[in-house]
Amino acid sequence: MNITDVDDKIIRKANTEQKEFTEISRRYEESFMKDMEALNVEMPNVLTWVSEYIPEIVDFIKQIESNGFAYESNGSVYFDLEKFKHAHTYAKLDPSKVNDEDAIKEGEGVLTDNVTEKKFKGDFALWKKSKEGEPKWESPWGEGRPGWHIECSAMIHAIFKN
């Protein structure tokens, strides 16, 4: 099971409460696990946390970039939907969401302010350049953190090795 312990909502709450993002995420994780136990849900064999897979996430993004489906802009890295759609179908499960402004805003996160460095408005962040008050890690693109869309994919890839 993948645990998202780094994302915009967690960071915003941590900043509001003046606490570390890890403290906020662990609080919700503990509550979730108690609920799982109360519902008698079998626990997973593997637990992964985004914050513990940053090198694997960076490598995964580098591979997407080297495959030609991502681009760096102003310290962030975006998935290039225009290039991807020439070879694949994006949003097969719900094609109506491709240009849906609300879906784009939700996916980009609450801390993303009118990003103008994207080639296409539907491109989404794989790596976000760090801002003041956010957790950050080193990467080839500068200090930053993973975008919400890439986290689980990279962790699953690291565990199952293809």
Side-chain angles (χ1 to χ4, degrees):
M1 175 187 302
N2 299 335
I3 305 290
T4 300
D5 62 350
V6 179
D7 79 353
D8 287 24
K9 292 175 186 174
I10 292 168
I11 294 166
R12 185 173 65 179
K13 187 158 189 73
N15 289 341
T16 299
E17 294 184 16
Q18 297 183 341
K19 299 184 187 264
E20 290 294 318
F21 77 96
T22 52
E23 187 176 340
I24 302 300
S25 61
R26 294 294 185 236
R27 180 187 331 150
Y28 286 104
E29 179 186 342
E30 287 172 15
S31 176
F32 173 74
M33 293 301 183
K34 285 179 186 173
D35 289 345
M36 296 281 282
E37 187 177 329
L39 293 168
N40 201 28
V41 174
E42 186 176 340
M43 298 311 281
N45 297 351
V46 177
L47 283 174
T48 60
W49 294 266
V50 172
S51 62
E52 295 180 3
Y53 276 77
I54 300 299
E56 292 85 354
I57 293 169
V58 167
D59 287 344
F60 201 69
I61 295 169
K62 285 171 28 182
Q63 184 63 51
I64 294 169
E65 192 176 38
S66 72
N67 289 341
F69 295 118
Y71 60 93
E72 187 271 335
S73 181
N74 194 28
S76 294
V77 179
Y78 297 95
F79 190 82
D80 193 329
L81 286 177
E82 291 297 308
K83 284 191 178 174
F84 185 79
K85 79 178 189 180
H86 292 296
H88 307 282
T89 303
Y90 180 72
K92 277 191 237 189
L93 299 178
D94 192 355
S96 68
K97 297 292 185 195
V98 171
N99 291 314
D100 181 309
E101 291 290 330
D102 291 332
I104 292 169
K105 287 177 187 173
E106 179 183 359
E108 281 303 294
V110 297
L111 298 178
T112 304
D113 302 322
N114 300 323
V115 178
T116 57
E117 66 245 12
K118 297 194 279 184
K119 291 180 182 178
F120 173 69
K121 70 179 179 177
D123 293 351
F124 51 85
L126 300 175
W127 186 261
K128 293 182 175 188
K129 180 180 179 177
S130 66
K131 296 180 192 167
E132 187 68 34
E134 294 183 354
K136 58 188 171 198
W137 292 267
E138 287 296 326
S139 81
W141 315 285
E143 290 184 333
R145 62 187 175 86
W148 178 78
H149 290 85
I150 196 65
E151 297 169 342
C152 291
S153 301
M155 291 187 294
I156 290 166
H157 179 78
I159 290 166
F160 292 106
K161 308 282 187 217
N162 297 337

